[in-house]
Structure formats: C-alpha cells, structure tokens
Amino acid sequence: KHQTGDDDRWLFLPALDLVRRIAASDKRTSFAGSDFFYEDVSGRSIDADEHELVGTTEHYYVLRNRPKDAGTVEFSYYDMHIHKGTFLPIQAEYFDRNGAKYRVYKTLAVDTIQGRPTVTRASMSDLKKGGTTTVSYRDVAYDVGLPEEIFTERFLRQAPAGLLR
C-alpha cells in the first residue's frame, strides 16, 4: 500500500509457481476467476470515496460510499454495514448507475485471533450473473516477525526457507 499513487499488487500462486504483477487498471476485474475483484481482496482506499453515515441499528453503522471519480468504477455507490463493537465491515451492497443492487459482500465468520477480531470466512455474490464465491482464511497469525525486506518479487519467487512452515 502507498499513501499516494497506485498500490503495488502481486499475485502469487505457489501451486502453479506463478508470480504476476497486477496492473492498477485491474482493480475492478475478477480476482482469479472469482466473484471478488482484486480491489475487494486488497482493499479500496478510504480517500477514493465520499462517506456518509446514513443510519444506525442496534449493532451496525450504515455508511453510504460514493466514488469521488465515478468514471473509474462501475458502481454509483455502495452501502456498508460496520459492526459497532469490532468496526469490521459485515456487509456491503453495491449499486449500479440505475440504482439496482448488483453485488453483495458478506462476512460469514469472525474469530478472535491473538486478541483481534478477524474475518475468517466471507462471500461475494454477483446478483446479475447469479454466482457466489466464498473464501476462508486459515492459519491466520499476527506479529510473526517478518522482515520488511522480504516483500519483493524475488522473495515471492524463492521464499527464504527459514520463514516457511
């Protein structure tokens, strides 16, 4: 992530021995053939949207997010439900330029790992195509002591043996 400019995005598929740089223009395209976009996986910059609190419920803040540069995305806005206790996004509904809902993200499981609430299962549904992709995260660990200098293409291609399990 970079505070300004495009992020450096890389895809590493060890089973295929594939390392690929993801172009900035690919943010809003399918991630590895799934219903998630690359941007869904790596995160959307908070500065890319205007945010408005449009409601609250017993458990959630409901935010409406409108892109500052509408020409770079296919949605006109998305509503996000943020859990009041954990501040995790629990659901996001994306609306097209006609106001029709066409994508829905849902957090399906949250576990506390090392004292941190962590999304461990989530789904994305494409309402126009009728597909849903579910992802599960396992073996999550925080503060494992990885040195910053290993986050390079070279180390993606040949990870240091001492850091592998």
Side-chain angles (χ1 to χ4, degrees), residues 62-148:
V62 182
L63 299 177
R64 177 152 298 162
N65 309 277
R66 294 187 185 277
K68 290 180 181 176
D69 186 356
T72 62
V73 293
E74 76 292 344
F75 59 86
S76 60
Y77 67 93
Y78 61 99
D79 289 343
M80 185 173 283
H81 291 71
I82 307 294
H83 189 267
K84 286 181 176 179
T86 63
F87 294 102
L88 289 174
I90 301 302
Q91 182 166 309
E93 300 173 321
Y94 293 82
F95 295 83
D96 65 19
R97 303 209 191 290
N98 297 321
K101 183 178 4 174
Y102 72 101
R103 294 177 77 226
V104 177
Y105 165 87
K106 291 184 180 180
T107 294
L108 302 175
V110 175
D111 294 312
T112 301
I113 299 173
Q114 292 174 251
R116 296 178 176 124
T118 304
V119 175
T120 54
R121 196 161 175 261
S123 70
M124 182 66 77
S125 297
D126 183 327
L127 304 180
K128 289 184 178 179
K129 293 180 183 175
T132 298
T133 300
T134 301
V135 295
S136 297
Y137 305 95
R138 61 176 195 244
D139 299 326
V140 176
Y142 293 103
D143 303 321
V144 295
L146 296 176
E148 189 172 327

Side-chain angles (χ1 to χ4, degrees), residues 1-8 21 45:
K1 292 273 188 198
H2 299 291
Q3 292 296 329
T4 59
D6 289 324
D7 296 332
D8 288 326
R21 185 157 205 252
S45 171

Side-chain angles (χ1 to χ4, degrees), residues 22-36:
I22 301 165
S25 61
D26 284 346
K27 290 178 187 177
R28 304 297 304 163
T29 60
S30 173
F31 173 75
S34 74
D35 294 296
F36 285 90

